[in-house]
Amino acid sequence: MAMLTADAAATRLGIKVESLYAYVSRGLIERHLGTDGRSRFDDRSVEALARRGRPRISSRQSSLNLLIETHLTSIDSHHIYYRGHDALALAGTHTFEQVAELLWSGRLPLHDAPWAGTVVPMADGIGLTDSLAITTATLAAADPQRANLDPLAVAGAARHLIASMVASLPHGVTNFQGATRQVTTGHVTTGHASQLTVSDSSSRHRRVRRSIAGTLWAAVGRQRAQPGMVEVVNAALVLLADHELAASTLAARVAASTRADPYSVVAAGLGTINGPLHGGASLLVRDMLTEASASGANQAVAHALRSWGRVPGFGQKLYPDGDPRAVVLLRMLHQVAGKTRAMATVDAVLDVYQERSDHRPNIDFALAALGLAAKLPPESGELI
């Protein structure tokens, strides 16, 4: 059986390598792992698929098959690339803002400037993720140029919206400097979110302390950030900046295809990300880790299996060898949190479940581990 490289298989099918891996993830073509760790494809199956033409219906029963070529993100079994840049490497070297600019413009800026936001007041009892939708709707109503779809205008609206989402989070309001919050809803006050001060003086920490990650920590963190923890939050934001056709990404792109304004596009994504199978998946993991901390990993894993028929936070069909985003985030957590009780709990759950399963932890598990180790609110995973 002759085997083709990814480039050769994509050329024979007349598609991009990104689309080839989309075929793999949707069960349309089988991927083999060579002795060198690189993907290989059976030339006969590639030839058969090429003769049939591009598939319109997935070979998997009851599935929606969408193959959309994109210049944004390329995924293989080991790596993720944002416009050709290794996203796993970017997570440790660049801020979320820099990576956002790369995704929007195709250029990775050497330096980043703080984004100015608007504080939208929240009523008592508003949840973290609900505040994102409220902020989006409020700013949309207040923006007379929301229909301006010039790329520069859209990017400007995006910077302001993201900064405002973080500045308007309902927890930790007293941590903000230079931004005021009105008692009654409906009034918007412009201001800059706080610049978090971290105790480490390294250049890397100085770069992230004024970032979206630092501001987010100032809003929801329950303690002074230990050295490196804000960097882990920044890495999580970078690793989750884009991921091919996740459900929320697809919803946002459908909205954008109708020429909807930026706020409506974001609202479409927010509506879709809400739920235990997507953005809320890390909350199930957090509950399991919390139980493991109190009652032991064996009982927590057993309870998860009885309750849901599976252990949340494991497995990702795009990464049969393990989610590389989780690998990066968990490694950073171990470096920062050290031998804390939280990380001991995380490791215990990993050991107990993987003793009888070959499923590897995914990004939802890593987000829940981050929330536990950093003592962030339970819904912080979905918020990030």
Side-chain angles (χ1 to χ4, degrees):
M1 178 175 64
M3 305 298 289
L4 301 176
T5 65
D7 289 334
T11 299
R12 178 63 188 91
L13 293 171
I15 60 176
K16 295 180 179 180
V17 173
E18 292 91 335
S19 296
L20 177 67
Y21 284 110
Y23 279 40
V24 173
S25 68
R26 288 158 181 80
L28 300 173
I29 191 171
E30 186 175 354
R31 179 185 68 89
H32 303 271
L33 198 62
T35 56
D36 59 356
R38 296 181 180 275
S39 298
R40 295 291 189 271
F41 303 87
D42 178 5
D43 65 341
R44 290 175 296 184
S45 64
V46 172
E47 182 64 25
L49 185 58
R51 291 180 182 277
R52 291 200 306 268
R54 296 189 182 188
R56 295 181 180 275
I57 301 176
S58 173
S59 59
R60 292 182 180 178
Q61 185 177 5
S62 301
S63 64
L64 176 64
N65 183 57
L66 293 172
L67 298 174
I68 300 178
E69 294 185 354
T70 171
H71 293 289
L72 293 180
T73 303
S74 172
I75 297 174
D76 65 25
S77 58
H78 302 286
H79 279 84
I80 309 167
Y81 298 93
Y82 296 155
R83 293 188 180 271
H85 295 261
D86 188 336
L88 307 182
L90 291 173
T93 59
H94 290 73
T95 64
F96 168 72
E97 291 90 321
Q98 288 173 296
V99 172
E101 299 291 348
L102 169 66
L103 289 168
W104 293 334
S105 69
R107 297 183 301 274
L108 182 62
L110 296 177
H111 307 285
D112 54 357
W115 292 352
T118 296
V119 177
V120 176
M122 298 291 156
D124 291 340
I126 296 296
L128 291 177
T129 54
D130 288 338
S131 73
L132 304 183
I134 293 172
T135 300
T136 301
T138 302
L139 294 186
D143 187 352
Q145 295 194 44
R146 59 186 291 189
N148 185 350
L149 300 185
D150 178 85
L152 292 178
V154 172
R159 296 184 195 98
H160 181 247
L161 175 56
I162 293 173
S164 299
M165 283 178 167
V166 178
S168 303
L169 289 170
H171 295 289
V173 178
T174 56
N175 289 336
F176 288 106
Q177 300 171 356
T180 58
R181 190 185 301 276
Q182 306 299 316
V183 176
T184 57
T185 60
H187 185 86
V188 178
T189 303
T190 300
H192 294 270
S194 70
Q195 297 175 4
L196 182 69
T197 301
V198 295
S199 56
D200 191 278
S201 60
S202 69
S203 59
R204 177 68 183 145
H205 281 283
R206 289 196 300 270
R207 290 181 61 193
V208 299
R209 67 183 180 184
R210 299 175 60 196
S211 68
I212 289 294
T215 306
L216 189 149
W217 182 282
V220 301
R222 296 172 178 173
Q223 59 182 359
R224 184 179 178 86
Q226 62 190 98
M229 192 60 79
V230 177
E231 289 185 270
V232 183
V233 174
N234 179 77
L237 291 169
V238 169
L239 293 170
L240 289 161
D242 194 74
H243 197 241
E244 203 206 27
L245 281 182
S248 54
T249 310
L250 175 60
R253 289 180 180 176
V254 170
S257 72
T258 69
R259 307 293 288 173
D261 65 76
Y263 305 96
S264 298
V265 171
V266 171
L270 288 175
T272 308
I273 203 171
N274 182 30
L277 297 182
H278 194 3
S282 64
L283 186 57
L284 296 179
V285 184
R286 180 69 178 272
D287 289 343
M288 179 178 66
L289 292 178
T290 300
E291 181 178 355
S293 180
S295 305
N298 277 299
Q299 180 170 324
V301 170
H303 184 214
L305 288 169
R306 289 195 303 269
S307 300
W308 306 307
R310 62 184 180 88
V311 177
F314 288 84
Q316 222 289 350
K317 65 181 181 180
L318 289 179
Y319 309 109
D321 302 318
D323 190 335
R325 301 170 298 173
V327 172
V328 170
L329 211 56
L330 289 172
R331 182 173 63 241
M332 294 182 70
L333 274 176
H334 277 102
Q335 292 172 347
V336 172
K339 297 181 179 180
T340 59
R341 179 181 177 183
M343 293 310 299
T345 298
V346 169
D347 290 338
V349 171
L350 287 173
D351 291 340
V352 166
Y353 182 61
Q354 292 190 299
E355 183 179 357
R356 299 187 182 182
S357 172
D358 59 357
H359 290 160
R360 308 289 180 83
N362 58 31
I363 190 63
D364 297 313
F365 186 93
L367 282 174
L370 167 58
L372 185 71
K375 299 181 180 179
L376 298 175
E379 62 270 39
S380 61
E382 184 175 1
L383 172 67
I384 292 173

